[in-house]
Every structure is written in C-alpha cells, then in structure tokens.
Amino acid sequence: MADSSSTYQAGGSGDQPKKSIIPGFGRFKVALSTVLTMEIIMQLAYIFEYPNCLIDGLRKADTTTSCALLMVSGMEERGQIAPHDISQLLDSLKEIGNPGTASTVQELFLKHTDIPIEEEGAHSQGVIRERGHSEAENEATVDRDHDEPSQKTVGAPASSMSTMSPTSSSLMPIAPELMGHLMNSMTPPGVNIAGSNNVVNISCHVQSTGSVQLATSSSQLDPVPSPGPVPTPDHVPPPNQESDVPDTMSTFIQELKETGKALYDKIQPIPYIKDELDSVDKVFIEVGLERRVGKDSWKKLGSYHDIFPKEKGNPRIQIIEGDPGYGKSTLALQMVYDWCNEVSGSPFSGPDILICLNLRQLKGITSIAQAIKQCSLPFDSKLKLLDVEQLISKSNIWVIFDAYDEYPDQHNKVNFVMQMLKGKIGQHVNILLTTRSSCIPPALGARTGRIRLTGFDNAAQERYIRKVVTGDDEVVKKVLKHLNINPTLGVLCRAPLFSVMYAHLTHKGSMLHEISSVTGFFGHMISCFLSHTQNKLSGADESPENLQTHADTHAALDKLAFEALTSKMQQLVWDRTFFVGELGEVFYKLYVDVGILVEEKETHIPAPGKVPQHKTVVRFYHKLFGEWYAAYHLIECVKSRSYILPENINLYDLKFLFMFACGLDQPGGSQVIKLLGERKDGAESVVLCAPQLKEWSHDIQTTVRRIVSSGIDIYISDSRLLQQSTIQLLELASQHKIPISQVMLLESFSSVDPDSLPLVLRSGLCLPPLSTLKELVIWTEPGREVTVDEWTGILNYTNQCQLLKKLKLDLCLLPWMDSFPTSLGSVEVVWAPWFCEYYSLRSGRWQNEDSGEILTRGAYDDLVTKFRERCSDTPWQERRRAERE
C-alpha cells in the first residue's frame, strides 16, 4: 500500500480538504469499523488476497478498533468499498459464511448514504439505485456536514465534533469518537493528549506495512478527561511485545518434539490391545508409493524418503492420497518420528521445524499459528501466539496436514489450509497433505505433487509379520499361505489396516482365512474384538452375557454414525457427554474397552491470560468402523420402499458403508443396490456391492444387466478392491447368462497366463474368460510392443469367450505373424497402433481400413520404425532402449 495520510485538526485552524461526493459515506466507514471482528478481518484479507505485509500490519494493530479502521481504509483503496458500491464486500461476507454481518453492513450503508443496493447482480453489473437523487445529482452533491471549516477539541462530546474528512476519496476518515482510542494507544511517548492543556494536530499515516503512525504538534487547551484504555483483542498480541521466554526457538522445538513423541509413541495395531502400545518405528513397514508423472501416469518410488524430490524447482506441496486403511496417518507419524529423533538419512530430519496437524481437530481455527499453538504445543506452553507467528515466519518449516477428508472446514472456501495450498499465504512452507483418494482438494496448482499409496505387497506383509507379530518361520508361512490362495483376503490385505488385523488375529487362532467377502472379514473381526473383551472382563461385575446383549443392540450408535457420515459436513468427533447421553454409560464403556470407540483429550487455548478449556471427545478407532455401524442403520432405512439416498452422499467415499450393508442383509442389500443403480454416479458402487450378495434377485439382475450393457472399464488407476469387485461382477454376470457388451482394459493389461488362459492385469489380478462377453478392447500403455507369446495368448483367450464378436488392440505394436489361428472364426480383430490408423485382420492378413491396402512385411517394418519414433518419449520405449543398452 502506498503511504498516505489524513489529517484531523484538534484545535487551531487550517484549510479543509475536499469532501466525499456521497453524503454520509465517511460516517458509514466509521460504522463499518465497529462491526468488523478480528476473525472477519483476517478472512476478508485472505479472500481479497492482501499482501503479507498488510496482513501482518493488521495483526499487529494495537486494538481491534485500529485494525478495523486500517481494514476499512485498505478496502476503500482497493475498490472493495466505494461511495456508490459496497457489493464486493457484501458478496465476500456471504462467501465466508457471514450473511448476518452482510445484512448489517447493507443496512448501515443505506442508513448513512441513503443508497440501496440491488440484491442480485449489483456487483457484477455495477447497478446502484439511489433514493431522491439522480447519478448526476449525486456526483455534484457535497457532504453538507463538512461545508464549513470547524475547530473541534479532542475529548469533547461527540455531538459537538465534526467527522474528519479524507484528503482524497481513497483515504480513511477517522471519527472523533474513535480518535480518542487511537490517540491513547498510538500517541508517541511523552505526549499526554487528554490530560494536557494542549491543542493537538494529529496526522494519521497508513504505512506500506499496514501499521499506523501518528505525528503530533500541540498548543494550549483546557484539560479534558481521558477516554481510558481500550483492551487488547483476545487473539491479537500487542506489537513489538518482547517474549518473556528465553531462547524461544529452542523452547519451540523442544515442545514440538515432546508433543510429537506423545503422538508416535502410542501406536495401537489392534484396538482392544491397549497394554501393548508401540512406538511407530517398531511397527512401521513401508507401503508402496507412486508419484504422478503425467495426467494418468504414475511412477513407483523406492521409499517415502523420495516424496520430496531432491532436484530444485520441484513442488513444495505434496498430496499423499490413498484408500481407507492404506497407512496415510501411520506414514505421517513415521515422518514425525524421523524429525524428533533426527534419523540419519531421512530427509524429514532436515527441516528446522516439522509439525503434524490432524485436520480433524482444526474446526474453526483460522491460521497456521493458531493451529500450532492449540494442537502442537503443551497447553501450559509459555510461548505466545505472537512467538509462534514469528518463529514459523523465519524458519525452514514442513507441515503435515493429516486427513483432509476429515477436515470439518474443508467446505469453507477461505479456510487457511486451502489458502496455504493455493500459495496465497505461507509460501515458504513445505506441505504434505494426506487424504482419501475420493477427497482431493479442488483447484490445486499445476506444481502440486501427487503421491498415492498402493498398499502392502507380499514382501511387505511378510516383513510386518516378522517384525511385529512373530519370527517363527512356520507361523509366518501359515499366515501368508491363505493370502495367496484366498483372492478376497489377498485384495483386502493390500490395505495395511486389514493386513495388520489379519496377521494378529490369525496368529491368535482366528479363522479369518475362511472369509470370502469384505463384509464377512469385517464382521468376523468385530466379533473377535468383542469376544476378547468379554473374556477379559469375565470376572468383572458385568457378565459376558450382558456385555453381548449390549453389543447386539447398537441401534443408537448405528443412527449416530449414519447421520454423521451422510451429512453435508461429516462429523467424526463427538463430545463425550453427548455420546454417553445418546448411548448409555454401559454401552459406551463397553465399546471404549473394546477399542471401537476412542477417547481423546481436546484442549482449546483461549485468549492470553484466560484458563485453557479441556474436554473429552470420542471418535471411532477408524472411519471404517463408523461405516460398519452406519450400514446397519441404512438397512433399516431401505426397509421403507420410499426411502431415497441423500443427493449429497459421496458414494465412493462411503463405498464400504454400502458394501457392508449389502453383505449384512440380503433383502436390504438388494434394495440398496437398486437405489445405487438409479443414480447417475451409482454404477461403480453397484460393481463394488453386488459381489457382497450371496444371491441375485431378479431386481439385482436387472440392475446389473443395465450396467454391463453399456460396457465395463478396468483402469490401471483403479484400486485393487475395485478391480477385484469388477472381475467378480463380470464372472457372476456370465454365470447368470447376462450379456456383457464390452470390457475395456485401459493400460491395465499385463500378460496372459499360458496355463489357465486368464488375462493377467498389472495389479496381479486375473480376468478369466467370460462366456457372455461380446467385445474385448485392450488399450495398452502408450509405446508398448506386444510379444509373439503375448499376442498368441490373447488370441487363445478370445477362443474361450463363446459370444465374443470383436477384439480390438489400441496404442501398441503387434508382432508380425505369418499365420493366425483358424479358430478365430467370425471374431472381428482390429488393431490401431496409434489414433486414426486402423487395421483389420482379414483372411489372415492386416488390411488398412481407409485405403484397403494389405500390410506387407516391408510396410510393416516401416510402420515399426515410425511407431518407435512417434513413441520414443514414452516410459515403455525408454525401458526398451535401456534394456538393449
């Protein structure tokens, strides 16, 4: 902001500056300053994209009044308010969720200027309606309150004082009733304005930093009473206040490490095993990681150490995404461990400061400093909010925002997390944000990195069992054996959460290996938790039978979970008192003992000098447990045939809720699938849910028939769970003689098993021959060269699909073959080495579909050269060249 000044003369004489052209606009600005709170000011500053120097100046203002006056001046200078139009301010107040304040401001504007504003489109169209004046008349109108020069004394009654006018229309008038406060808080040392006999001329300068500077001169005046001091606002520390904490940086780091240790030292692999808590480094096994290198391409990473590339110019913001239970939070805690313990070789031990903030706990928090103060420092920390602001502004700082999908304020467009992700504030901060794949923050910049977790492979599963469960070779082999022979278990246990549960429970004698569905696995796991707790409490006052009775009657918990998860803003944490009141003390205590519910202490740090507020909150051990109980309530809801799924439900985010519901109750599950099939975005959910049903009713077959009639795609980016469910759905459709119009493998094809003839996907899953499949499209990764064995295997696979009419291969180079199997019969075979060039197999020869020419061996060799040139920069061709070298 350019330096500007406005002069208020308290005694003496002088020329009056030019007045505002709208009567009362100056009085409106003064009134506006009285309704702006610090929270609103900061939110507006962010949404208006004020520079950091101005935002810092607003924070450092002595009082809320001073800050509000500065904000009003800034808004006028930048055109957010003008004598004829305040629509931009009103729109912004509504956008940040303050329609009441917007209404108040609009009433004040009408009261002081007599100008109403169009309710809709005023800002965008510049439409202003005025009462009693034409636009030309208003431009000629001069504020009659300022027509004649006057001399007023500071401290005199407001009614006898004139409103100060700005020296230009872009400068801020300071009302006399507020000037006393400004003079008390901002007059230079040695000048006693209210208690002296001086006439004081004050110049108020708004500096480029956003601070206010007063210049004074004086002459004799009668004494007047002091208006008294104005308290400092709760969360804006006075400027230039020296901290009473010696060596604040070392104190800051020490306290952060103490809080971090409390987080990573309480890892609980199994909910009910509370007496065997481990440090994260004792249980952490690296999961598979991939970095997005193109729009739809991903490259495998060797370690979580590679998340932030070492090369200069790489993104400072990384989004780490993964499905539920894939270890996002555990990975975040391992990073905290590395920093706290200065682990050699870990890049996460390098920054001055590393902070992990669970976004679930940040409801209503408006700044990163406030979040750190409230959630990452001890409640009795001597560090003030100003200390935190200063320390993080001059440090190499890395912040981990964990669980964006559980962030209560994610729908608030001006939340500070989104402002940091967009680079509007905190540009010096390296950010890692973890979230479910279904909840990626919107409108991120092109330079934001994307990392996804792909889960445990067989080697990682074995490393975990040996490291955490048992080192006995025979036991390890036994546990792993069932993962290899049970496809459902194999897919589920790619998720570390399920893999860990399976390993521990199987080691303790559970028969989880016999489970054949997601619902069966989770239900058996819950039963194991309850059984263990009942055995543990068998000697207590309450008998195991009574505990089982409570466990079987959980309708209140089901309803709470369902309503919380399906609301527009998901609720994942409850006040303990409320929860106990809803469920009853006995039921609540049982589920806390089991570990399904988890209690947490929550501390709110209020204004300086006030006592911190503590309360106990409760949440599910994992969001999946909430989906499990919510599924029971969904089943009750669909018993009413008139029930309709709420439109705001994110079907993919809550896919386990619907899968559990379908597996828990056959009639209810059938109705759930019918409801899902009626939604435009419901096809994928049907694919996931239909295999959970033991039997397919006529309605289910109708829904499935409608979905497979439009074709089924299997993407390389699909999760293993989705791919497995898709394969199961296709197999069941074939078994029920339902025609499948098309299956398209989008970069997901890997090879063909020469023995059993299924198509092997790059995920390791297998697609068996489908008797009712009509068309198969294999869209390989760009630049791929199919081998003779692979091409032969594909042709043999098609022979097993009795109804197949067409086979198409895209974006690949097929090998030259002198002859083709005669068993292809009437199957149409089409090959497109690149877009817009197609060849059909006719009488054992490739024929160009446009020219009709037969592809000779010489023409094929030319095509190979052209193909390799056009695809030279693809990962597949780069690997081919590297292997040949």
Side-chain angles (χ1 to χ4, degrees):
M1 181 190 297
D3 287 354
S4 57
S5 66
S6 58
T7 302
Y8 177 83
Q9 188 176 17
S13 61
D15 296 334
Q16 291 296 314
K18 185 178 179 180
K19 308 300 186 291
S20 171
I21 63 172
I22 293 296
F25 185 61
R27 290 191 295 276
F28 161 72
K29 290 188 287 184
V30 172
L32 174 61
S33 70
T34 65
V35 300
L36 295 179
T37 65
M38 279 302 303
E39 181 177 1
I40 291 176
I41 290 170
M42 288 297 105
Q43 289 179 326
L44 288 174
Y46 290 141
I47 202 171
F48 290 151
E49 300 185 15
Y50 282 7
N52 287 339
C53 63
L54 183 53
I55 293 175
D56 290 341
L58 291 169
R59 285 200 185 102
K60 295 175 182 178
D62 278 2
T63 65
T64 302
T65 299
S66 304
C67 184
L69 289 169
L70 284 172
M71 186 65 188
V72 171
S73 176
M75 288 190 292
E76 185 177 18
E77 181 172 322
R78 286 163 173 76
Q80 282 116 18
I81 59 172
H84 290 83
D85 187 5
I86 61 167
S87 299
Q88 187 175 355
L89 171 61
L90 297 179
D91 292 345
S92 299
L93 286 170
K94 293 173 184 176
E95 184 177 350
I96 64 175
N98 282 279
T101 303
S103 177
T104 300
V105 170
Q106 187 168 350
E107 291 173 1
L108 291 173
F109 187 70
L110 176 62
K111 173 182 176 182
H112 290 289
T113 66
D114 206 31
I115 300 175
I117 296 185
E118 290 282 356
E119 286 297 323
E120 297 181 1
H123 176 57
S124 59
Q125 301 173 13
V127 179
I128 301 292
R129 295 186 302 181
E130 304 178 11
R131 265 187 227 162
H133 299 283
S134 68
E135 184 170 340
E137 288 171 338
N138 272 287
E139 290 177 352
T141 302
V142 176
D143 189 344
R144 293 176 177 82
D145 288 344
H146 301 284
D147 275 348
E148 298 181 4
S150 62
Q151 295 179 0
K152 302 297 178 184
T153 57
V154 175
S159 60
S160 67
M161 301 176 73
S162 170
T163 304
M164 180 202 74
S165 296
T167 57
S168 71
S169 62
S170 66
L171 300 180
M172 175 184 67
I174 302 182
E177 59 266 29
L178 298 175
M179 183 56 70
H181 295 322
L182 280 173
M183 290 188 296
N184 265 330
S185 61
M186 305 171 73
T187 300
V191 179
N192 184 354
I193 297 174
S196 70
N197 294 328
N198 293 339
V199 175
V200 183
N201 290 320
I202 303 172
S203 293
C204 176
H205 297 271
V206 182
Q207 305 292 335
S208 61
T209 60
S211 60
V212 176
Q213 178 181 342
L214 296 181
T216 65
S217 60
S218 62
S219 60
Q220 289 295 314
L221 242 188
D222 291 334
V224 292
S226 169
V230 177
T232 300
D234 288 346
H235 55 290
V236 182
N240 303 320
Q241 176 178 320
E242 294 295 330
S243 172
D244 56 0
V245 181
D247 193 2
T248 53
M249 178 57 82
S250 63
T251 301
F252 188 42
I253 291 175
Q254 179 182 353
E255 292 185 349
L256 286 174
K257 289 187 174 182
E258 290 174 358
T259 307
K261 188 175 189 299
L263 291 174
Y264 69 69
D265 249 0
K266 296 181 179 179
I267 302 299
Q268 191 176 342
I270 302 295
Y272 61 77
I273 305 179
K274 301 182 181 180
D275 52 352
E276 298 180 14
L277 300 181
D278 288 307
S279 173
V280 68
D281 66 303
K282 303 297 184 185
V283 300
F284 178 73
I285 298 293
E286 289 219 39
V287 297
L289 292 168
E290 293 179 342
R291 181 192 309 284
R292 192 169 74 171
V293 293
K295 184 177 180 181
D296 296 309
S297 298
W298 297 81
K299 180 180 179 181
K300 187 175 181 180
L301 298 182
S303 167
Y304 73 98
H305 290 176
D306 301 327
I307 287 177
F308 275 115
K310 298 176 182 178
E311 299 82 5
K312 291 184 178 180
N314 281 294
R316 66 176 180 85
I317 300 174
Q318 299 286 347
I319 307 299
I320 303 177
E321 61 184 89
D323 278 348
Y326 266 62
K328 299 179 291 293
S329 295
T330 304
L331 176 60
L333 291 179
Q334 181 63 36
M335 296 171 183
V336 174
Y337 176 88
D338 289 358
W339 180 73
C340 290
N341 294 277
E342 301 178 14
V343 174
S344 177
S346 171
F348 297 97
S349 63
D352 299 334
I353 297 169
L354 186 143
I355 297 165
C356 182
L357 294 167
N358 192 310
L359 290 175
R360 183 180 64 244
Q361 302 172 343
L362 302 191
K363 183 177 182 179
I365 291 180
T366 58
S367 73
I368 181 64
Q370 184 186 1
I372 294 169
K373 172 66 175 169
Q374 181 160 321
C375 301
S376 294
L377 296 179
F379 75 89
D380 58 350
S381 172
K382 294 182 180 179
L383 293 172
K384 299 178 176 62
L385 185 61
L386 179 60
D387 296 323
V388 177
E389 290 176 344
Q390 292 174 341
L391 289 167
I392 64 176
S393 68
K394 59 186 179 183
S395 304
N396 173 20
I397 177 173
W398 292 17
V399 174
I400 303 170
F401 289 124
D402 188 28
Y404 179 81
D405 53 290
E406 299 181 13
Y407 183 33
D409 292 345
Q410 63 178 270
H411 300 292
N412 180 350
K413 295 181 180 179
V414 292
N415 67 75
F416 82 94
V417 175
M418 185 54 66
Q419 297 297 312
M420 293 183 70
L421 291 174
K422 290 184 177 180
K424 295 183 178 180
I425 57 175
Q427 293 89 345
H428 67 293
V429 180
N430 283 336
I431 299 174
L432 293 110
L433 181 140
T434 73
T435 185
R436 285 190 178 193
S437 301
S438 58
C439 190
I440 304 298
L444 296 177
R447 291 189 55 76
T448 299
R450 292 275 292 276
I451 306 291
R452 71 178 181 188
L453 279 63
T454 59
F456 275 178
D457 57 16
N458 291 341
Q461 290 165 345
E462 181 174 351
R463 288 197 300 272
Y464 179 85
I465 296 171
R466 292 187 181 278
K467 181 176 181 179
V468 183
V469 182
T470 178
D472 188 311
D473 287 342
E474 291 302 318
V475 176
V476 172
K477 290 179 181 179
K478 178 182 177 182
V479 172
L480 291 174
K481 174 184 176 182
H482 299 295
L483 294 178
N484 296 323
I485 63 176
N486 186 327
T488 299
L489 273 182
V491 170
L492 276 179
C493 291
R494 289 290 293 230
L497 174 70
F498 291 126
S499 184
V500 167
M501 299 285 186
Y502 168 78
H504 284 275
L505 294 176
T506 301
H507 179 55
K508 294 180 180 295
S510 170
M511 302 298 289
L512 276 171
H513 61 271
E514 298 179 355
I515 302 303
S516 60
S517 70
V518 173
T519 308
F521 181 96
F522 213 87
H524 189 83
M525 187 174 66
I526 295 287
S527 297
C528 290
F529 295 170
L530 290 168
S531 175
H532 175 89
T533 304
Q534 290 164 18
N535 293 336
K536 183 177 178 181
L537 300 178
S538 58
D541 294 336
E542 188 128 25
S543 68
E545 291 75 14
N546 287 336
L547 291 175
Q548 185 61 51
T549 299
H550 290 302
D552 291 339
T553 54
H554 42 72
L557 180 62
D558 304 340
K559 184 178 180 182
L560 270 177
F562 182 81
E563 292 178 348
L565 290 171
T566 58
S567 63
K568 184 176 181 180
M569 298 180 65
Q570 290 186 353
Q571 181 178 359
L572 301 169
V573 178
W574 295 265
D575 181 83
R576 182 190 185 279
T577 303
F578 166 80
F579 218 78
V580 172
E582 292 293 311
L583 305 184
E585 185 69 44
V586 174
F587 182 95
Y588 175 82
K589 185 177 183 302
L590 167 66
Y591 274 70
V592 170
D593 288 338
V594 172
I596 293 172
L597 297 177
V598 177
E599 291 184 340
E600 292 179 342
K601 298 294 183 182
E602 189 174 274
T603 301
H604 175 66
I605 308 296
K610 295 185 179 181
V611 179
Q613 301 170 356
H614 310 282
K615 67 176 181 179
T616 300
V617 296
V618 61
R619 62 174 176 83
F620 284 101
Y621 172 83
H622 192 281
K623 190 176 176 181
L624 285 173
F625 287 82
E627 294 185 54
W628 172 260
Y629 288 99
Y632 282 95
H633 187 73
L634 176 59
I635 291 170
E636 293 301 312
C637 290
V638 299
K639 287 180 179 178
S640 168
R641 294 287 174 169
S642 61
Y643 178 78
I644 300 176
L645 290 173
E647 284 296 324
N648 63 282
I649 289 182
N650 183 330
L651 298 183
Y652 186 74
D653 180 51
L654 297 177
K655 59 179 175 285
F656 281 98
L657 188 162
F658 298 106
M659 293 170 70
F660 292 152
C662 292
L664 286 170
D665 184 83
Q666 179 74 29
S670 298
Q671 184 63 17
V672 168
I673 288 180
K674 181 180 178 183
L675 292 173
L676 292 172
E678 292 171 352
R679 287 183 49 142
K680 293 180 179 179
D681 59 345
E684 185 173 298
S685 297
V686 173
V687 170
L688 288 165
C689 292
Q692 300 298 310
L693 294 171
K694 295 179 180 179
E695 297 179 3
W696 280 11
S697 65
H698 175 74
D699 287 344
I700 297 300
Q701 292 186 44
T702 301
T703 300
V704 171
R705 187 183 302 272
R706 183 170 65 251
I707 290 174
V708 299
S709 66
S710 58
I712 294 292
D713 300 337
I714 302 179
Y715 292 85
I716 179 59
S717 57
D718 289 344
S719 68
R720 280 176 60 92
L721 178 62
L722 178 56
Q723 289 188 3
Q724 174 69 15
S725 298
T726 302
I727 292 169
Q728 289 178 325
L729 179 81
L730 292 171
E731 288 186 275
L732 290 169
S734 286
Q735 292 172 16
H736 286 84
K737 308 300 181 183
I738 297 174
I740 303 167
S741 64
Q742 182 191 79
V743 170
M744 180 178 287
L745 305 181
L746 293 160
E747 298 189 32
S748 55
F749 169 77
S750 174
S751 60
V752 181
D753 188 315
D755 298 323
S756 54
L757 291 182
L759 298 182
V760 181
L761 305 185
R762 291 169 68 184
S763 63
L765 298 174
C766 294
L767 177 66
L770 303 169
S771 60
T772 60
L773 176 62
K774 293 184 176 181
E775 180 179 347
L776 174 64
V777 179
I778 300 177
W779 187 332
T780 70
E781 63 270 41
R784 175 164 180 169
E785 298 186 16
V786 178
T787 67
V788 172
D789 287 343
E790 290 170 343
W791 183 216
T792 302
I794 292 171
L795 294 174
N796 289 334
Y797 174 88
T798 62
N799 291 332
Q800 306 302 313
C801 303
Q802 292 91 333
L803 298 184
L804 191 71
K805 300 299 182 183
K806 185 175 183 179
L807 169 65
K808 187 170 184 287
L809 291 97
D810 288 332
L811 304 182
C812 63
L813 180 65
L814 293 181
W816 177 264
M817 294 182 69
D818 292 321
S819 61
F820 290 85
T822 56
S823 57
L824 283 174
S826 61
V827 176
E828 178 186 1
V829 182
V830 178
W831 167 39
W834 46 74
F835 293 116
C836 302
E837 185 163 345
Y838 300 94
Y839 294 89
S840 296
L841 189 62
R842 302 182 189 280
S843 302
R845 292 289 181 267
W846 290 113
Q847 183 178 7
N848 188 296
E849 288 193 351
D850 291 331
S851 65
E853 295 180 356
I854 299 298
L855 185 67
T856 64
R857 182 57 191 258
Y860 172 81
D861 292 340
D862 292 339
L863 187 150
V864 171
T865 302
K866 186 177 178 181
F867 179 88
R868 289 173 176 171
E869 289 175 351
R870 295 182 66 165
C871 302
S872 61
D873 59 346
T874 62
W876 202 98
Q877 286 293 327
E878 289 176 353
R879 290 196 301 271
R880 185 188 71 86
R881 289 194 299 271
E883 291 171 358
R884 294 185 66 179
E885 292 173 358

